[in-house]
Amino acid sequence: MQQKEYLVGVDMGGTKIAVGLLSGDGKIIKETRMDTRGHEGPEIVVNRLVEAINALSEGYEIKGIGVGVPGIVDTDNGIIHYWSTFNWNNVPLGQMLNAQLDKKITVVNDASAATWGEFNFGAGRQSKNMLFMTISTGIGGGIIFEGQLFTGSNMLAGEIGHVTVNPNGPTCNCGKSGCLEAYASGVSIQRRAMDAIKNSTSLLVEMEKHESRPIDTKMVFAAYESGDLVAQEIIEQAATYVGIVLANFIQTFNPDRIVLGGGVMKTNSRFIEKIEEVTQNYVLPSYRNTYEIRRSQLFENAALIGAANLIV
Ligand code: ADP
Ligand code: ZN
């Protein structure tokens, strides 16, 4: 048995669950990933998760387990109120894990966990007030207010993907019209490109043929970098709406740091520069030197690291 205390972080996603063993200072020592298969129901998923945690932590003294979960979470009671992907309702995840592991369990929203991870160990270090936005399959976010995770009155703060950017815009996954997510998420960029090339001569038509597979988000960014006008319109519209939302947030909360994460931010294209340019254009001049926009440093490990470090 080791002398030091260790932490376990879990990031439950719609596709994969990542489990990490972390040292007390937040560094990942080892990690394992498995398919979520949430349609099998909470009990079977929890049993699989317990096995993975036991295997990973064998021989280590574990202080607690932090779990990041998409959807609406009641952290005080360790309950997943609602996880839309699998239609899980009121799952007492904390209690279920505790019954088998007899450890302190903290259940948090995954975007909040990622926000906390970036703030303490990633691109948010040394900031005081920070906004995190994850541009992934969907768009999520989290807020650090005066060095603390700000979750709001009902633990609902930070749903930045569903702020309206165009009331007459396309229908979003949430059912509203014209949310940021409907323009700028990975899936929306892909879908908009697929629609746009139906009757066009875009480079994307050639790419689709050449690769013998449908267009994906990365291909849209590659076409954008090659100067394709269809891709440019889609990517720059996404960047414009992200920039406008950031500018609105900056004027409301006066943060010193914005961190942009999620798979889409892995692009090497000028996407982030375009976002920075739009944000500058939409804030009042007095805000222009008050904030910094940075790309995530932790990417897919942000939620796991943050969840482990939110163990109370
Ligand atoms: P999840 O939503 O499951 O957390 P990610 O954060 O990895 O997943 O985001 C997935 C999205 O990121 C997908 O739409 C994918 O196409 C997109 N993506 C991944 N890598 C890149 C890249 N290099 N450039 C642009 N988009 C990317
Ligand atoms: Zn929405």
Side-chain angles (χ1 to χ4, degrees):
M1 192 68 77
Q2 315 268 326
Q3 290 302 310
K4 285 199 292 189
E5 270 194 336
Y6 294 84
L7 309 167
V8 169
V10 180
D11 178 11
M12 293 183 83
T15 319
K16 297 258 176 220
I17 299 179
V19 188
L21 177 73
L22 286 83
S23 55
D25 58 355
K27 303 230 165 59
I28 297 175
I29 298 166
K30 47 184 180 165
E31 193 182 336
T32 168
R33 280 173 198 265
M34 59 186 166
D35 292 337
T36 308
R37 306 208 305 263
H39 54 271
E40 293 176 353
E43 265 167 44
I44 294 174
V45 174
V46 166
N47 288 343
R48 232 184 301 120
L49 179 57
V50 167
E51 267 176 44
I53 293 172
N54 281 332
L56 201 73
S57 59
E58 205 185 331
Y60 292 87
E61 189 57 44
I62 302 300
K63 183 184 165 203
I65 298 154
V67 191
V69 191
I72 300 173
V73 173
D74 170 1
T75 295
D76 291 342
N77 298 301
I79 295 171
I80 305 173
H81 272 316
Y82 182 54
W83 185 357
S84 62
T85 316
F86 306 119
N87 207 15
W88 286 13
N89 285 292
N90 297 321
V91 175
L93 184 69
Q95 219 176 316
M96 290 165 85
L97 287 170
N98 184 265
Q100 296 198 56
L101 294 163
D102 196 23
K103 293 276 180 245
K104 199 175 281 180
I105 315 286
T106 305
V107 183
V108 288
N109 169 269
D110 61 343
S112 296
T115 305
W116 191 242
E118 288 291 347
F119 175 66
N120 286 289
F121 303 99
R125 270 175 300 180
Q126 269 102 47
S127 69
K128 188 174 160 199
N129 294 301
M130 179 191 114
L131 173 72
F132 175 69
M133 188 193 281
T134 170
I135 310 183
S136 311
T137 310
I139 295 184
I143 299 162
I144 299 290
F145 178 73
E146 303 288 337
Q148 297 297 320
L149 191 60
F150 177 78
T151 52
S153 307
N154 298 83
M155 303 214 58
L156 293 171
E159 278 291 2
I160 200 161
H162 302 283
V163 297
T164 309
V165 291
N166 176 5
N168 303 314
T171 307
C172 180
N173 293 323
C174 70
K176 296 198 299 152
S177 296
C179 294
L180 177 62
E181 180 169 300
Y183 287 97
S185 71
V187 168
S188 297
I189 288 171
Q190 176 189 28
R191 194 175 43 228
R192 294 175 75 71
M194 282 174 157
D195 289 347
I197 63 165
K198 278 181 187 147
N199 297 305
S200 91
T201 53
S202 166
L203 178 60
L204 286 162
V205 179
E206 292 307 311
M207 286 169 120
E208 198 172 36
K209 270 195 211 133
H210 183 254
E211 303 253 342
S212 313
R213 63 187 168 101
I215 284 164
D216 65 17
T217 314
K218 269 194 206 176
M219 281 157 76
V220 188
F221 277 96
Y224 170 55
E225 278 305 275
S226 302
D228 182 67
L229 292 179
V230 171
Q232 184 180 343
E233 194 179 328
I234 292 163
I235 299 295
E236 293 194 349
Q237 185 172 51
T240 298
Y241 284 141
V242 171
I244 288 173
V245 169
L246 294 183
N248 289 344
F249 185 89
I250 288 165
Q251 299 222 167
T252 316
F253 287 97
N254 184 210
D256 51 325
R257 189 79 51 86
I258 311 278
V259 177
L260 302 178
V264 173
M265 290 313 300
K266 287 187 176 163
T267 176
N268 294 320
S269 69
R270 293 160 289 134
F271 189 48
I272 193 161
E273 285 81 4
K274 185 73 197 165
I275 292 170
E276 281 169 339
E277 186 187 309
V278 174
T279 309
Q280 282 283 306
N281 289 341
Y282 278 91
V283 289
L284 289 171
S286 51
Y287 288 83
R288 282 192 187 138
N289 298 313
T290 60
Y291 65 90
E292 230 183 288
I293 299 179
R294 291 194 193 169
R295 200 189 298 265
S296 157
Q297 283 177 359
L298 306 179
F299 279 108
E300 52 269 36
N301 289 327
L304 190 156
I305 292 174
N309 287 282
L310 277 166
I311 296 166
V312 284

